[in-house]
Amino acid sequence: MTRPAGAARRRLFERETELAAVDEALAELTGSHPGAEDSGPLPGAEDSGPLPGAEDAGPLIRPRGALLAFAGHAGLGKTTLLAEIRRRAAARGCTVLSARGGEQEQQVAFHVARQLIQPQLAGASESELRQRLGSWYAIVGPALGLCAADEGSPPDPQGLRDGLDWVLTHLAVRRAPLALVLDDAHWADPESLSWLAAFAPRAEELPMLLAVAYRPEELPDHAHPFRRLPGRAGQRPLGLEPLTPPAVARLVRDRLGDHADDAFCQECWAVTSGNPFETVELIAKVRDRSIDPVGSGAPLLRDLAAAVKGSGLIARIERLGPATVRFAWAGAVLGTEIQPALAAAVAGLGPQAAADAADRLRDARVLTGADTLEFVHPLIATAVHRAIPDAVRVALHGQAAWAVVDAGLGSAAAARHLLETHPEGDPWVVGRLREAARETLRAGAPDAARRQLARALREPPAPADRAAVLYELGCSSLLTEPATTVNHLRAALEEPIADPALRQGIVYRLSQVLAHSDRLAEASETLAREARRTNCPRTRLRMRAEKFMWDAFRADEPESPARSRRLARLADRLTGRDLTERYIIGLRAWDATLRAEPASVALRHAERALAGGLSWAAEDRGFEVPALVALTFLFADRPGRAEELFAAGTAEFERQGWHGGHLSFAYTLLGYIRFRRGMLTEAEELGRAGLRLAERVGPRTPAEWYAVATLVEVLLARGKTEDAARVARDHGFGEPFPAAVTFPDAQTVYGELLLAQGRTEEAVAELTAAGARLEPRGVRNPAWCPWQLHLARATAREEPGRARALALDAVTSARRYAAPSGIGMALRVAAEVTGGTERTALLTEAVAWLERSPAAYERARALVALGAHQHRTG
């Protein structure tokens, strides 16, 4: 970043409290004595080394990170204070990362993150970057502007934030001690600010000082954590106050000489209200005009102060000439880090005229810098930008977009300017915005891409392109606004679409987002309707496959047995030559599992589905079918194979940067596999990890239903009934249950929880309702959903005949499926609700079956039950 010009050495007045906090934090960070740093001047090359004698300052302190937040209104010296922090940190040997939010760059995704991190990595070759970033290269590289984004599905925002966390943590460790300084945080782009606000509490755990300054009245909602940082500020930011009259007097005499009298100094304070920026600028004007700082000169101060800001500042710039005004306007439109050649192009000036204008603005203390220009203060930039007539400002943003593209900076850099222009039906604008959105989306900033595409839609695009823009707009809001995505995609289908592939892509995406929004019936109907429209057999097959999949998850499917028969006939004819056919075969394997067909049948189809490959992260497919195939192996007593598949799927998610719902499902279901194997401690850890990720996605989403149900079941198995009840209560686990079938079945797990709490009547009601929902669908496998077994236990005391019938019916289904763990579990519960010598036989057989299974927890329960029964009967 270019730093504002000014005096090489500048004193800070009335900031002793803030600097004391800085010194204390730096001392603990660097392990040096607090007195090892002075409170002297601002940056200068002569001040960048360690101070003499620092090695004798006292015993070393164990390095510890810190957070410092400074809040203050415009002009109160936040930038000057942060510059002093940078100087002191560098003097103590810290690696300094610095960035500033820009009022004009708020729409540029990861603008601040790039300022912070890019300088530390930009000099590395591609091979060095790949080595240093490892598996995060393709995920964070595009966001930081270090490499182009790969084709394919972009990372989800949480995955990208995790990657940025890793990069910053890595830098903090490798370049320790590290000082990260962010100025004007209120103007930082939402992507960077959300990331840093979430990362900030971790700074104390690292060899890092994180210092942030912002205007409290302009800090956006997504940066609210900065208001309550758990750092040195005592759960609140350090507020900067205006200077008192004595401080202003010292500042005046420091700059103008000791002969400045009290009346003159008092008037300086009165006309600036103690605002440090206005005071410094006023003193500079006094010096430029050679005004004697005595009482007779005091009446001139009010007019001089008016020229420092607002209309007075603009009038002063206008007196410099039209060319200079246009150059200042161009700079205000371009924002921070202004390239002189680019500003000249926007202003319509030749090289010499632009250079002259820049010189005049530097002399007037409006701009600073040489190769890269910057406004001396953000207040000046804001005033200049707001002074541009509306029509002219819009035209300048349009010119800036063309200039940025012509300079080779790309569509993404031009997009922020195009967002400020008026719609004119220009195909060039639509093309640049769509290109920028694709780049932005692949970089992991879907909200920014959505803004760009929404603007492209208002341009508007040509009728032939409207459906494509609506489709892209829907995809960009998929993760954050699924309801909006549905509206965009449905609108796209109403447009004339010449490209069949585009229409199919819209349909697949629409059915996907409907299903993930718990609207499975609509997803199924959409696919059925579109399948009737197409004349292509392969397309129709793909749509049938998608429909089969969402129907398999529908708890209210009206014709489940008929669908099962159609699926079986179709799968038996297919060879698995492409992904669509393998998906159908995989669905056949899962359907056989649900209906308690012999496990050998389910396994045969599962192996067929895997024969040609079954990716978990295919761009235009979901991960549902690969997960169902893996679970087929689990319930058929091959958990090792299931774990292999889940490990491969999890690796695919992580390579893609999918750390939201996808990874939550992976961890949750892997925990469920461990639970079925009897590894209860590991199962709980994975279940909690899955739930933490699900909480990021949102409440009552499919990811949360899966995670809560799994964790509750594991906790009940561990005897932690109160913990299970607390998890259920904290996450609203109960009615109404989702329209989608979950694994394990949410209503059945809730009934099991009620039974464990002794709420037997409520448990009977829930488990009976679960059976009424699943039984008509032909879902009869107790190895997958043991609702009959739990209901048998719940009714054993009041209705022993019903309990015995339920348990024995479950035993029959389990024998038909023929998985040893399922048979053994059903026999154990049947024994529990049966008396006399029959209980001995049932328990003995249960133990025999479970000895042949990998279900260690169920085997242990059966052995305990058998031992206790034998002890009672002698």
Side-chain angles (χ1 to χ4, degrees), residues 795-814:
T795 57
R797 181 183 295 274
E798 300 296 331
E799 302 176 84
R802 181 188 179 192
R804 185 172 183 278
L806 285 165
L808 292 179
D809 188 48
V811 170
T812 300
S813 297

Side-chain angles (χ1 to χ4, degrees), residues 167 251 375 378 410 438 445 459 488 529 536 541 571 576 609 651 730 843:
V167 172
L251 179 56
F375 284 92
R438 284 191 290 270
E459 186 61 18
H488 289 317
R529 185 170 54 250
C536 175
L541 183 66
D730 291 347
L843 283 174

